[in-house]
Amino acid sequence: MNGPALYELPSAPASWRIALPHTAAAVPVARALVRTALAELEHGADCDTAELLTAELVANAVEHTSGRGPIELVVELMASGCQVEVHDTDPKPPGDLTCPSGGLPDPWQEHGRGLLLIRTLSSSCGHRPTESGKAVWFRLPVVPAQRRPSA
């Protein structure tokens, strides 16, 4: 190799899949899993953003879907970045994840910014039907080592 590497990429994809309760208690568990996965493999995706967007997806699944069955969190780390999916049993697509409707959320309202955050902070996002409902996902790219905050 000529010169130093700009950043190290994981040699093979790694993934985690976990069932979470259909309650608000799922949010901190999901955040912790994503942070641990990215930190243990020293993956170059932005941990803070991944954790925030994961919390938004899980909170939306808990709040806006019916059913008592668990929701599922899937985290995949690839050389190009990471993808996080949340699976639930409601086949209805999420509000305006990919096609925003209306203006900006009301700044005085407590809710209504989650999908805006996901659209704005991820490199891509979307949803797809599954056999048992739907999966809502986002992707984040690897951040080169020189642009990561120093610990």
Side-chain angles (χ1 to χ4, degrees):
M1 176 185 332
N2 295 335
L6 292 178
Y7 50 93
E8 295 292 322
L9 298 176
S11 58
S15 63
W16 292 262
R17 181 179 293 260
I18 185 170
L20 299 169
H22 200 274
T23 67
V27 175
V29 173
R31 289 181 76 124
L33 176 70
V34 167
R35 177 159 295 281
T36 300
L38 292 171
E40 279 187 7
L41 293 180
E42 296 180 5
H43 194 273
D46 180 352
C47 282
D48 293 333
T49 302
E51 199 177 337
L52 171 67
L53 299 185
T54 298
E56 292 296 339
L57 284 185
V58 172
N60 280 351
V62 168
E63 185 174 339
H64 298 293
T65 64
S66 58
R68 298 179 187 263
I71 58 176
E72 190 173 46
L73 175 68
V74 179
V75 179
E76 186 174 1
L77 305 182
M78 305 156 289
S80 60
C82 72
Q83 178 167 308
V84 175
E85 291 185 348
V86 173
H87 297 237
D88 63 57
T89 57
D90 188 346
K92 183 180 170 196
D96 45 355
L97 178 64
T98 56
C99 299
S101 60
L104 294 174
D106 182 344
W108 299 106
Q109 293 299 313
E110 196 171 309
H111 301 284
R113 292 173 192 81
L115 296 179
L116 173 64
L117 284 171
I118 293 166
R119 281 195 319 268
T120 303
L121 299 176
S122 67
S123 59
S124 59
C125 60
H127 58 87
R128 62 182 170 79
T130 64
E131 288 182 14
S132 60
K134 71 173 170 302
V136 184
W137 56 270
F138 69 84
R139 290 186 187 122
L140 292 175
V142 166
V143 178
Q146 306 90 314
R147 299 188 62 201
R148 291 182 212 151
S150 47

